[in-house]
Amino acid sequence: MEVVFFLLDGCRPDKLKEANTPNIDELKENGTVVLRCRTVYPSLTAVGHMSILTGCYPEKTGIITHFYWNWNERKFHEIFSDEYCQAKTIFEILSDAGLSGGVYGAYFRRGAKDSLKKRMLKKAAGFVSEHMNFIMNYLVRHPSLYKKLRTRVVGAFDEFIRDYKDKKHSFYYMMFNDTDKAGHKYGSDSKEYLETIERLDERIGEFLTLAKKLGRKTVVVVSADHGHIPLRSKISIEKLDLSDAGYEIEDVEYVSAAALIHYKGEKGDSIHAAVVSRHVQFWFENKTRVETVADVLSQRKEFEDVRTKDRLDEYRLVNERTGDLALAVSNGYGFDFLPIGEKGDHGGLSIEEMYVPLIFGGGGVKAQILKEGRVVDITPTILKLLGIDYPYVQGRSLI
């Protein structure tokens, strides 16, 4: 038995249904389809990926957004990396069981069986990302060069096909970020978004044709880390002004398409906020001021679900790294100072952002429709299919 997982980054299930996807439709007709699969909150890339790859919620992975404030060091840590994950990845679990997993198109690969060259390239990319922002900015302005270097680091579809032909692994994780990029640039209500889904369906079709030709018993999984929502209105950083609560913005850092805001209070205490797409978390030096700030932010129509840390249990988001206060941006709104969300974004709580497709097809998987599931159920299901018993996950097998 072997499993191939196609992750369509930022793909909405309703748009997948709307697009012309004959190959994915074939998997649906003959496999297990989850009608309502919910991702984790916040609906951000690293948060979703790590919950998928561990079968655990952010409370256990520690990936609670893309940054967190460390009071001992008095600085932000960027945690868009599996290095900071506090739970075992599926690749590590497979390795412990004597099996191996390959990763293609994704940086999240801890425990995957990578060549020495790829491991060194990944370390170099991480160093550049963390310490040399001017180089990263240069690469962003030169997308063809960035794409070439990124492909060398994370692998690509052609490499996945070569490894599959050679039966190199038991589990293959092929991530396409094209859908997410189309959602950001054009909006998930655009024809470009649908066309991107259709192009990826063609790639999946290439693989399915190969698997049939080779006569391999392969289970194919199709899912996403989060959805996408079109942006109807942009709001400025002034909407995060806290002067009504006695705090002034002292400094703003723009890092990796996020904004890190530092506030200074009238009594000298500080607040630090990480703004990532449509999600914001705040860390308070003076915890007695949390409710006051929450009241101020709750009055603004641009924000919803403003919650103190003790009320984030519902989302399985409470970890030692979690901020003292968190909020989602209201539907249709995005920040004008974040470069990534041109026409669309994610990170909030809307249906469009919080639900993803989930399909298990091929390999003798039973044809059935399940009403509900969660992305944390994906790893337990894959482990069950591969005959591995690993009890330290928070999801459950769907098959």
Side-chain angles (χ1 to χ4, degrees), residues 13 16-17 23-33 359:
L16 179 61
K17 187 176 181 180
N23 299 295
I24 294 175
D25 290 346
E26 181 184 341
L27 292 171
K28 284 181 177 179
E29 290 169 10
N30 302 301
T32 294
V33 179
I359 304 155

Side-chain angles (χ1 to χ4, degrees), residues 1-13:
M1 173 69 73
E2 56 192 350
V3 178
V4 171
F5 185 0
F6 292 109
L7 187 127
L8 313 183
D9 194 330
C11 184
R12 286 171 47 171

Side-chain angles (χ1 to χ4, degrees), residues 117-118 121 147-155 159:
K117 181 179 180 181
K118 187 169 286 187
L121 282 168
K147 183 177 181 180
K148 184 176 180 180
L149 291 174
R150 185 180 186 279
T151 299
R152 294 292 300 277
V153 174
V154 303
E159 183 185 356

Side-chain angles (χ1 to χ4, degrees), residues 370 376-385 393 395-399:
L370 303 179
V376 294
D377 298 330
I378 296 174
T379 278
T381 305
I382 293 171
L383 293 175
K384 179 82 175 287
L385 288 165
V393 291
R396 62 185 179 86
S397 174
L398 297 172
I399 294 175

Side-chain angles (χ1 to χ4, degrees), residues 161-214:
I161 292 295
R162 286 197 303 271
D163 286 355
Y164 178 78
K165 285 180 179 178
D166 294 339
K167 296 185 178 181
K168 194 169 183 179
H169 306 294
S170 299
F171 174 56
Y172 302 82
Y173 183 60
M174 177 70 237
M175 194 275 280
F176 296 109
N177 69 349
D178 311 59
T179 327
D180 186 53
K181 289 193 292 186
H184 283 298
K185 187 171 183 177
Y186 303 107
S188 57
D189 56 351
S190 67
K191 65 179 179 61
E192 289 88 353
Y193 186 80
L194 292 179
E195 288 168 353
T196 301
I197 294 173
E198 291 168 358
R199 285 197 299 272
L200 296 181
D201 179 74
E202 291 174 2
R203 306 236 76 179
I204 292 173
E206 291 176 37
F207 165 75
L208 293 176
T209 299
L210 173 66
K212 288 175 184 176
K213 181 180 178 181
L214 296 175

